[in-house]
Amino acid sequence: MIRSLALLCLLAAAGGCRPLLDGGWEGTAACPGEAYPISAIFDETKDGEIEGVVYIEGINIIIGDVIVRGDIDNGEVDPDNGSFSFDLQTDTEPLADFTVDMEYNNDELSELTGDIDQIDDNGELVQSCNLDLDRTSDPTN
């Protein structure tokens, strides 16, 4: 039994398996003229889909600054090129409110970079921002 487990671990390491995106992430969305703190919780499934939530702080609406919660929709990982993408739904409208394209830059998956685009209710681009996230928790460790 121990030999089988050791062989399995060796094969997984030799095959270049990467860690999953699972866990907590924090960072910033740098937009033209301002930056927004971002927090995210990712859950990557075994079949390469991403689920979870993203919180965007400091969104100014009529009553002042609020934290917007977006549920991840249509999240997919492409391990061949080290990227993933998803939509964020913050309301009940059928169109996504944000689209996100990101890349992981190292084998430890401790840093993510990419873009987050805000989309209006007509499907038009409102603004595009640079997104940088660092892992804050990893449930596999």
Side-chain angles (χ1 to χ4, degrees), residues 24-141:
W25 297 81
E26 289 184 352
T28 303
C31 305
E34 52 193 316
Y36 300 97
I38 302 282
S39 300
I41 300 170
F42 295 137
D43 178 20
E44 181 180 346
T45 65
K46 291 185 191 313
D47 59 352
E49 294 180 6
I50 296 182
E51 300 169 346
V53 295
V54 175
Y55 298 92
I56 306 170
E57 298 179 36
I59 302 293
N60 193 320
I61 62 173
I62 296 170
I63 61 171
D65 288 349
V66 298
I67 298 173
V68 174
R69 178 184 192 263
D71 294 315
I72 294 175
D73 192 26
N74 301 320
E76 293 186 26
V77 175
D78 185 348
D80 294 334
N81 66 9
S83 68
F84 63 99
S85 61
F86 56 86
D87 295 334
L88 283 179
Q89 289 292 112
T90 62
D91 57 25
T92 58
E93 297 292 323
L95 292 176
D97 300 296
F98 297 89
T99 59
V100 177
D101 292 302
M102 299 199 77
E103 297 177 345
Y104 41 92
N105 296 328
N106 56 27
D107 291 336
E108 297 84 32
L109 261 68
S110 60
E111 300 173 0
L112 305 173
T113 60
D115 299 309
I116 181 169
D117 296 334
Q118 184 179 4
I119 311 298
D120 69 14
D121 289 338
N122 296 320
E124 300 292 323
L125 178 67
V126 174
Q127 70 177 341
S128 185
C129 306
N130 295 323
L131 189 56
D132 291 305
L133 299 176
D134 294 314
R135 187 185 293 269
T136 59
S137 70
D138 184 349
T140 62
N141 287 335

Side-chain angles (χ1 to χ4, degrees), residues 15-27:
C17 294
R18 64 166 179 78
L20 299 177
L21 295 166
D22 293 0
W25 297 81
E26 289 184 352

